[in-house]
Amino acid sequence: MADRLDAWIWAVRLVKSRSAATAMVRAGHVRLNGDRAKAAQPVKIGDEVRLRTGDVNRIVVVRQVLVKRVGAPQAAVAYDDLTPAPLPPEERVLVATRERGAGRPTKRDRRVIDLFTGPADGSVPPDVD
């Protein structure tokens, strides 16, 4: 028995809505057995599904093909979650980000950014007050 990939992702409660599952697959955030998937691609027992939601990459193996959405306890039995545990906050790498729409960085902002990332030309950055 096989079912659509987007319907299965929704049925086992990995996403909130069927349309969100379809959009996720079409955007390329879902891989089936290592290959980029299509929404109507059939899912079989033993398939590996990789999903990228935000900054979390989930890896699940299909154990049961579901056609309809089920409760959380039944959905948890339908797949094996192989997602590695996230790094603790103290081991995560900090990335310098700016708020969207903040405009171009000023000279002072650029110096602060260079302290975190290093200057583009490879030289040693000066201290910022």
Side-chain angles (χ1 to χ4, degrees):
M1 181 176 179
D3 193 29
R4 290 175 57 108
L5 176 62
D6 59 346
W8 184 83
I9 291 171
W10 167 74
V12 296
R13 299 179 169 265
L14 295 174
V15 293
K16 288 187 176 187
S17 68
R18 171 89 183 262
S19 61
T22 305
M24 218 171 145
V25 175
R26 285 187 179 155
H29 300 298
V30 178
R31 292 191 174 271
L32 184 65
N33 296 324
D35 298 326
R36 190 170 173 175
K38 292 186 178 181
Q41 200 163 351
V43 176
K44 298 178 293 297
I45 294 174
D47 285 348
E48 181 186 73
V49 179
R50 293 176 178 256
L51 302 111
R52 186 173 66 234
T53 55
D55 58 347
V56 178
N57 292 322
R58 296 197 62 182
I59 304 168
V60 297
V61 176
V62 179
R63 290 290 160 226
Q64 184 180 3
V65 178
L66 300 175
V67 179
K68 293 185 178 181
R69 192 166 170 101
V70 294
Q74 295 151 338
V77 178
Y79 62 88
D80 289 335
D81 196 356
L82 304 177
T83 306
L87 292 173
E90 57 272 0
E91 291 184 17
R92 291 186 188 147
V93 178
L94 294 176
V95 179
T97 58
R98 291 179 51 81
E99 290 184 27
R100 189 170 179 90
R104 210 171 148 178
T106 63
K107 193 171 190 177
R108 178 174 168 73
D109 292 340
R110 174 59 57 200
R111 288 181 181 148
V112 172
I113 292 169
D114 285 346
L115 283 176
F116 290 110
T117 62
D121 62 358
S123 63
V124 178
D127 290 334
V128 177
D129 294 327

